[in-house]
Amino acid sequence: MSLVKHIPNAVTSCNLLCGVLGVIASFRGRPDIAFSLMLAASVFDFCDGLAARALKAYSDIGKELDSLCDMVSFGVLPSVMMCNHLYACFGNSFVSFIPLVLAVFSGLRLAKFNVDERQHSSFLGLATPAAALICASLCAFAFERPDSIIALAAGGRLFLPLLSVVLSALLVSEIPMFAMKIGTGDGTPAYVRVERGLFLAAALLALICALIFGLHWSFVILAAFISYVLINLIAWPFASRIH
């Protein structure tokens, strides 16, 4: 196999490296750095597929490697970030370890995605990167703005554990979730195009609010992906009738 064929797997491995470094940063009390590393992992996760298509370098190893890397960057890392945040607030308490459930369900989600032939152009259940970015951006924002309402909620005994359970349920649910992949042809349902438009509008609104009120940029990611979940939940009954 030529060296070019290994490029997609090398990009995927960078995803894994970012995830491991993010875990280290989280344990060192730097959720802001951990969040930035998760975003870098997201970029590599997106680019490995582009590289594989551009170079026609598909492989079974690449598919398995992608899931293993995602498990670290988008399963273990957000769980560790939330656990460390709660540990800083409550010490060695039971509630501090509840977010670990997200890692378990992220693994189930990734395994389900690999064998589910229905999820080529859209998702059934929340994608692991979306759930991870909600958790990581929340921890990063609470770190950067400890005096905010969001930080106050994240420092409570119920909010992060409840968020972990809700996101875990969404990960393995059968709720249709739109993907941002823009394919060729006119096969995309009209309601999906509307959902994508609403998501982009929500992200833009969050960016404007962050600029106006001087909020940390993690707020944009947090608000955008919470909007993503809400848009899909609102559209769920309509999407179910279509399918």
Side-chain angles (χ1 to χ4, degrees):
M1 182 180 290
S2 69
L3 185 62
V4 172
K5 298 293 185 180
H6 292 289
I7 291 177
N9 289 345
V11 176
T12 304
S13 298
C14 290
N15 170 1
L16 176 60
L17 179 60
C18 288
V20 173
L21 291 173
V23 170
I24 294 173
S26 179
F27 276 116
R28 291 184 175 180
R30 293 302 303 270
D32 54 334
I33 296 176
F35 174 51
S36 297
L37 286 164
M38 182 184 290
L39 286 178
S42 301
V43 173
F44 287 121
D45 186 44
F46 178 75
C47 290
D48 63 1
L50 292 180
R53 288 189 291 272
L55 300 172
K56 295 182 173 56
Y58 301 102
S59 68
D60 291 335
I61 291 177
K63 181 180 179 181
E64 297 302 323
L65 180 62
D66 185 69
S67 291
L68 292 171
C69 294
D70 285 355
M71 182 61 213
V72 175
S73 298
F74 308 123
V76 174
L77 178 53
S79 296
V80 167
M81 291 179 70
M82 289 191 293
C83 282
N84 284 336
H85 185 86
L86 288 173
Y87 186 85
C89 296
F90 305 110
N92 197 24
S93 171
F94 171 74
V95 297
S96 301
F97 300 99
I98 293 178
L100 292 177
V101 71
L102 186 69
V104 175
F105 279 85
S106 294
L108 292 172
R109 160 69 191 176
L110 289 166
K112 176 185 176 183
F113 180 80
N114 282 349
V115 299
D116 193 340
E117 296 297 327
R118 300 171 296 169
Q119 301 191 56
H120 291 297
S121 58
S122 61
F123 303 123
L124 289 175
L126 185 62
T128 48
L133 287 170
I134 289 173
C135 300
S137 59
L138 177 62
C139 291
F141 187 84
F143 176 78
E144 293 288 347
R145 294 291 300 271
D147 57 337
S148 65
I149 295 176
I150 292 176
L152 182 63
R157 287 184 174 271
L158 293 178
F159 187 79
L160 286 184
L162 182 60
L163 178 66
S164 303
V165 172
V166 170
L167 291 178
S168 295
L170 290 174
L171 284 170
V172 295
S173 71
E174 291 287 307
I175 299 173
M177 301 266 180
F178 69 89
M180 292 305 294
K181 298 177 182 177
I182 309 298
T184 58
D186 299 322
T188 303
Y191 77 89
V192 173
R193 291 195 289 270
V194 172
E195 288 177 317
R196 289 172 176 168
L198 290 173
F199 171 70
L200 294 175
L204 179 59
L205 179 60
L207 176 60
I208 293 173
C209 290
L211 292 174
I212 292 175
F213 297 106
L215 302 175
H216 187 257
W217 57 272
S218 57
F219 172 81
V220 179
I221 305 297
L222 176 61
F225 280 94
I226 288 177
S227 299
Y228 172 82
V229 173
L230 293 176
I231 289 168
N232 281 289
L233 290 177
I234 293 170
W236 178 20
F238 179 72
S240 299
R241 288 198 297 271
I242 294 295
H243 294 287

